[in-house]
Amino acid sequence: MKKFTTTLVALLIMGSTSSFADGHKVKVGMITTLSGGGSGLGIDVRDGFMLAVKGNKNISVITKDDQRKPDIAVQLADKMIQSDKVDVLTGIIWSNLAMAVVPATVNQGKFYLSPNAGPSKLAGKGCHKNYFNVAWQNDNLHEAAGGYANSAGFKNSFILAPNYPAGKDALTGYKRYFKGSLAGEIYTKLGQKDYAAEIAQIRASGADSVFFFLPGGMGIGFMKQFSQSGIKLPVVGPAFSFDQGILKAVGDAALGVKNTSQWSKDIDNNANKKFVKDFQSEYGRLPSLYASQGYDTGKLLISAMSKAKVKDKDKFRDALRKADFSSTRGKFSFDKNHHPIQDIYVREVIKEGKILTNKIVSVGLKDHSNAYVSECKM
Amino acid sequence: MIIEKTFNKWILVFLFLIPVLGFIFEEPYYITLTTKVVILGIAGIGLNLALGYCGLISFGHAAFFGLGGYVTGILSFHALNSELMFSWPFVSSGSSDMLVIWPIVILSSAFLALIIGLLSLRTTGVYFIMITLAFAQMLYFFAISWPNYGGEDGLSIYMRNSLPMINTMDPLNFYFICLCWLLTVIFISAKLINSSFGMAFQAIKQNEERVKSVGIETFKVKLLVFVISGTITGLAGSLYTDLNRFISPSVLNWQMSGEIMVFVILGGIARLYGPLVGAAFFIVLEQTLGSYTENWQFWLGLILILEILYVRTGILSLFEKKLKYEK
Amino acid sequence: MTSILFFEQLLNGIQFGTMLFLMSAGLTLIFGVMGLINLAHGSFYMIGAFSAALIASLTGSFWLALLASLSGAAIAGVLIEIIIIRRLYRRDHLDQVLATFALILLLSEGVRWYFGAFPLYLDIPENLNGTLPILDDIIYSKYRLFIIFMGLLIAVGLYILISKTRLGVRIRAGQNDRQMISALGIDISKLYTIVFALGASLAGLAGAMIGAIQSVEVGMGEPILILAFVVIVIGGIGSIKGALIGSILVGVTDTIGRIFLPELLKIFMESASATSVGSSIGSMLIYILMALILIIKPSGLFGKT
């Protein structure tokens, strides 16, 4: 009993370091996935962000693991806002967690900078002046894939995605730009990793191309099985199944596959070169697009801090809106609903020595915004 | 040397004290955290009635927790958007009043438990464990792919549901609401366990055949216990939605069933305060370990294994042994 | 829907089923002989896959990797049995649930700690890549045929082991009467260790074979664990025959259901919602199947009542 009491009291005291922030300091709360499945993405975002703010004495960051559970994420957000008195929240990877955390956060007057998730609800009707998306609106990469499919001359696509909101957004995004017809449209079970049945359907469908959105382990399984099936159709998908962390696990099955991304290691600008070099020397691995998004989020924050104090919300918001930082993606600005206007590239998976990576082959959509701007009353 | 009953009293004192401490140290988060412990404790107490006292090992209580959560979320969602929910047999556009929501949650959880119980109680042992899991998994996959209320993205209700005269958004107020429910649930459970009905369902755990032979219809007894158990857990689900102002299919997942079960076993099976102690232990451990290392799950696993190997039947049994020595 | 496609999907279902069989055979044996509910069985699936990926990256040989998966999972099984599991046999089922649940946390996070958060690479051997024509128009993946073959081979092996060997006699005796077998002077703790290691190595082999076409990552074992439990409950706990039939039943139902249900629904409703509703019901189908079977036969298809 006594021990129990002391532990709890110790806990209470431990957390009670109050902040003596002067106007130039910013306290950042980072909620991201650091344990269990999908933690690779969270670790990359965190590492990218920390690299960007490294050495900046005015920024303090509290990082917490959300375990990919929305209820935990909500509780962490409550903690950071109530107890740690953070000014800015960031870090969430998954759309469902973002939907759980973001609305409450921005309504309480805190800023939220999204380094990854961009659900359509937060871009359209649910947009908010304190919410900034530094990555993309969820549909963007899929739209670019649709655009690429047109330019590659695909006429009859087979499309598939998991049966959950982001999956539906993905297929909608592709269809919004793709002008051909559909040979088939399948929603797979979330978390499913065996696609023998779906691949058989693709074989039987008479499609001339395949578009898929299967993030994480789902995509690894699909690519390997598709390449083993001997079907020689061209495949296109968003970068999530071809990012640096995952490519190694997919192996040569990914070689030559076209994928769409707002970032690539070989985008030719100084900010990006510096980022790729610094990231490698700091962490000893190649950066992924998630790392670049975390990095840009950090740089955006620093740019706003140099213009305004965070306590002066209106000025700080204006400073964020200007997006006056050198993005690793080159040109970057915010549209009216605080989502990026940026180029989306088409990349191809190649081998550099023994390492699989991506190179840009063309620009899929130039200065691309999103379909929800008009719905946003802001 | 304290015995279990005294320890239980200390727990209650503690539950009243923690918010005060949180207030003094200006750490409102600890109120939120304790609220979570209380809510999950209620869910565990519900499960404990079936699992601990009647031997009905349900691996599907997430179904009730999630249903309670979703009923709350959906009612409040419609009230928030003043959207029509259904127009038959009467017109309803939801509600954001806890006094309206709670009875609906209780009725719907009881109904679900009745259906699942009727179908599952024909089986025993591991088969019962798995059939209850099956029903929860059905609801889970349904919730994920059902688009109307957010699917996997879940449903945000932004504001806690309201009670007359009380500002529920204040963490302390909401904590006391949950605490009232906890006390009510403990009170009801205690009465139940000591009633003749309680004797019957505890006897069933020991030897069902013998109970049958004295002319008690054990199926009905088990069904009733299961319904009460599911209802209490459903209520906890409702409070959990209000705590987070958010509900998603993740609370319907089998891991949620597993977690509630872990609280019960950890605290001590068939001990009234067991699930509460289990939940508190688990959450405090999760928080402390999590602040030291990214690999906290490794250490959590290790501690749990040591607990099960050396403390044996739950934390509260520590205090029971002392009682025996004292005699 | 052509009959060719149907036949191919049937093969897919059987392949999925044979893989489930490798998982559930061990699980059902461990439960039958020792009375242990082992939630950590999925962890051996993961350990097998990671051992295989490690050896494959060192040696480049898929066959050595398969061997590594068997032995890696078996060694882990022996260690864990001796250090932890052994103390749980006489305990309540609930203590076993908690302890093996804790083992999942420990092993998953331990593996992630050592190997990092990103999935590992493991590929099938070159000579099993591609497809094979079977019957007239049907072509099918060589590797998947290999999985079916391995599954059947192991089913036959287990049958011989249990019905024809001395170890098998002891296992059967253990299933029937635990006190008796130790009274007969058989070293029961050694028998238990062997059975546990056998179950673990089968799970490890399944992990490696499936890891090669899916992904080798932390947390890969739990979804399959739940399915394996579904299988042994449908088949009747403790029955290897039940596990085999349950596996095929679950594999085929899941595969056929998720493909043909949306097609079936398209007859009644418009395409988009048929796809959506069909996939939803498709993902619930095996649980519906399990519930139905248990309602009709409360102790599974081949379980002892």
Side-chain angles (χ1 to χ4, degrees), chain B residues 24-303:
Chain B
I24 294 170
F25 289 107
E26 291 182 39
E27 283 294 335
Y29 177 59
Y30 290 109
I31 301 171
T32 309
L33 212 57
T34 323
T35 315
K36 186 179 170 185
V37 170
V38 167
I39 293 173
L40 293 176
I42 297 176
I45 290 171
L47 176 63
N48 200 15
L49 275 181
L51 179 149
Y53 292 97
C54 193
L56 302 172
I57 305 177
S58 160
F59 200 6
H61 260 49
F64 310 118
F65 195 78
L67 181 81
Y70 262 103
V71 167
T72 310
I74 290 169
L75 283 170
S76 145
F77 173 78
H78 282 279
L80 192 76
N81 302 324
S82 26
E83 254 176 48
L84 203 62
M85 196 162 154
F86 51 82
S87 50
W88 187 90
F90 50 90
V91 178
S92 166
S93 53
S95 169
S96 63
D97 189 339
M98 289 184 185
L99 293 178
V100 178
I101 290 174
W102 287 334
I104 300 177
V105 165
I106 288 172
L107 283 176
S108 45
S109 315
F111 183 69
L112 181 71
L114 185 72
I115 304 279
I116 295 184
L118 272 174
L119 295 173
S120 307
L121 282 167
R122 292 163 42 82
T123 63
T124 53
V126 181
Y127 297 99
F128 182 78
I129 300 182
M130 294 310 292
I131 196 170
T132 45
L133 170 80
F135 285 113
Q137 288 290 92
M138 283 180 216
L139 278 185
Y140 169 69
F141 282 112
F142 179 72
I144 276 194
S145 44
W146 192 32
N148 297 25
Y149 298 105
E152 205 222 8
D153 279 357
L155 194 62
S156 270
I157 57 173
Y158 309 110
M159 294 277 284
R160 273 189 196 132
N161 294 305
S162 57
L163 264 185
M165 323 276 286
I166 298 173
N167 172 17
T168 51
M169 278 311 275
D170 181 79
L172 206 55
N173 289 348
F174 185 67
Y175 173 71
F176 280 114
I177 294 171
C178 295
L179 195 57
C180 285
W181 269 117
L182 177 75
L183 296 178
T184 315
V185 164
I186 287 181
F187 177 77
I188 293 174
S189 306
K191 283 273 173 229
L192 214 56
I193 291 161
N194 295 319
S195 68
S196 59
F197 170 64
M199 296 302 153
F201 67 71
Q202 290 173 78
I204 287 176
K205 186 188 176 189
Q206 306 299 331
N207 189 336
E208 185 169 351
E209 287 311 309
R210 199 171 286 177
V211 179
K212 253 187 207 157
S213 67
V214 293
I216 294 174
E217 283 186 74
T218 56
F219 186 86
K220 279 188 185 159
V221 174
K222 289 196 288 185
L223 187 61
L224 189 55
V225 175
F226 194 73
V227 167
I228 297 171
S229 163
T231 309
I232 294 175
T233 305
L235 186 73
S238 168
L239 295 172
Y240 199 60
T241 297
D242 267 326
L243 171 70
N244 298 326
R245 304 161 317 269
F246 174 77
I247 175 79
S248 82
S250 70
V251 294
L252 282 162
N253 199 332
W254 68 272
Q255 275 138 341
M256 189 73 216
S257 299
E259 243 171 61
I260 302 177
M261 198 190 271
V262 166
F263 300 151
V264 176
I265 306 171
L266 201 54
I269 293 154
R271 291 168 199 281
L272 200 50
Y273 286 72
L276 189 65
V277 175
F281 183 76
F282 192 90
I283 288 164
V284 168
L285 215 56
E286 188 180 87
Q287 293 288 323
T288 357
L289 291 174
S291 61
Y292 286 115
T293 163
E294 228 168 72
N295 307 101
W296 59 271
Q297 289 184 339
F298 179 86
W299 301 108
L300 181 66
L302 194 65
I303 292 173

Side-chain angles (χ1 to χ4, degrees), chain C residues 10 22 77 106 135 145 166 171 182 189 205 300:
Chain C
L10 199 63
L22 290 190
L106 185 98
L135 299 176
L145 284 175
R166 187 176 280 270
I171 289 176
S182 50
S189 73
L205 180 68

Side-chain angles (χ1 to χ4, degrees), chain A residues 26-328:
Chain A
V26 169
K27 210 165 184 188
V28 180
M30 173 171 286
I31 301 170
T32 195
T33 307
L34 300 172
S35 66
S39 52
L41 285 68
I43 289 170
D44 267 4
V45 162
R46 180 197 61 189
D47 288 353
F49 186 88
M50 294 316 274
L51 180 68
V53 303
K54 196 182 167 194
N56 190 320
K57 291 202 178 61
N58 286 329
I59 298 182
S60 58
V61 186
I62 305 163
T63 311
K64 290 278 177 198
D65 175 18
D66 60 32
Q67 307 170 41
R68 202 176 174 171
K69 291 182 186 156
D71 47 329
I72 302 275
V74 171
Q75 289 149 19
L76 288 175
D78 279 353
K79 172 187 178 342
M80 288 175 170
I81 293 169
Q82 293 168 1
S83 292
D84 301 325
K85 315 261 188 295
V86 299
D87 308 295
V88 175
L89 276 164
T90 183
I92 292 176
I93 303 294
W94 317 98
S95 291
N96 57 333
L97 273 68
M99 284 306 298
V101 167
V102 172
T105 303
V106 293
N107 280 328
Q108 290 179 66
K110 306 291 174 191
F111 290 101
Y112 186 87
L113 310 177
S114 176
N116 198 59
S120 49
K121 272 190 190 156
L122 296 179
K125 277 185 196 139
C127 69
H128 193 278
K129 57 183 183 178
N130 290 341
Y131 170 75
F132 289 84
N133 186 307
V134 199
W136 22 253
Q137 197 281 314
N138 276 358
D139 304 4
N140 284 167
L141 304 193
H142 316 298
E143 291 166 342
Y148 164 76
N150 295 331
S151 65
F154 301 158
K155 297 271 179 285
N156 195 19
S157 281
F158 195 102
I159 62 177
L160 71 162
N163 194 17
Y164 75 127
K168 289 181 180 159
D169 284 355
L171 297 194
T172 317
Y174 184 79
K175 286 187 280 187
R176 192 176 289 136
Y177 277 72
F178 179 58
K179 295 199 186 81
S181 57
L182 295 180
E185 180 176 4
I186 298 189
Y187 289 112
T188 59
K189 185 157 78 179
L190 188 67
Q192 175 184 332
K193 286 187 187 163
D194 196 292
Y195 294 94
E198 288 75 10
I199 288 169
Q201 277 193 304
I202 293 175
R203 196 200 301 277
S205 71
D208 68 355
S209 55
V210 177
F211 166 78
F212 77 95
F213 165 64
L214 297 165
M218 296 186 270
I220 300 176
F222 178 79
M223 273 320 293
K224 280 159 107 175
Q225 293 158 34
F226 188 78
S227 114
Q228 286 155 18
S229 74
I231 303 177
K232 299 282 180 239
L233 297 179
V235 175
V236 59
F240 312 120
S241 299
F242 304 93
D243 86 85
Q244 209 55 49
I246 272 181
L247 270 180
K248 200 174 63 190
V250 184
D252 289 351
L255 262 183
V257 175
K258 303 286 192 299
N259 62 91
T260 49
S261 175
Q262 86 289 2
W263 177 85
S264 185
K265 180 163 106 339
D266 56 342
I267 295 178
D268 194 16
N269 65 56
N270 289 335
N272 196 37
K273 277 180 194 148
K274 181 171 170 358
F275 162 64
V276 174
K277 193 171 128 260
D278 290 355
F279 192 91
Q280 271 177 290
S281 65
E282 182 83 19
Y283 304 108
R285 63 176 196 272
L286 283 175
S288 66
L289 83 156
Y290 309 110
S292 82
Q293 290 157 197
Y295 186 82
D296 277 355
T297 306
K299 288 294 178 200
L300 169 72
L301 180 68
I302 293 172
S303 77
M305 284 168 63
S306 69
K307 289 197 173 69
K309 291 180 180 174
V310 74
K311 304 290 176 215
D312 188 349
K313 295 227 159 86
D314 291 329
K315 273 203 180 136
F316 195 77
R317 188 180 307 114
D318 285 337
L320 282 170
R321 201 179 284 135
K322 289 206 176 71
D324 190 9
F325 69 105
S326 341
S327 165
T328 56

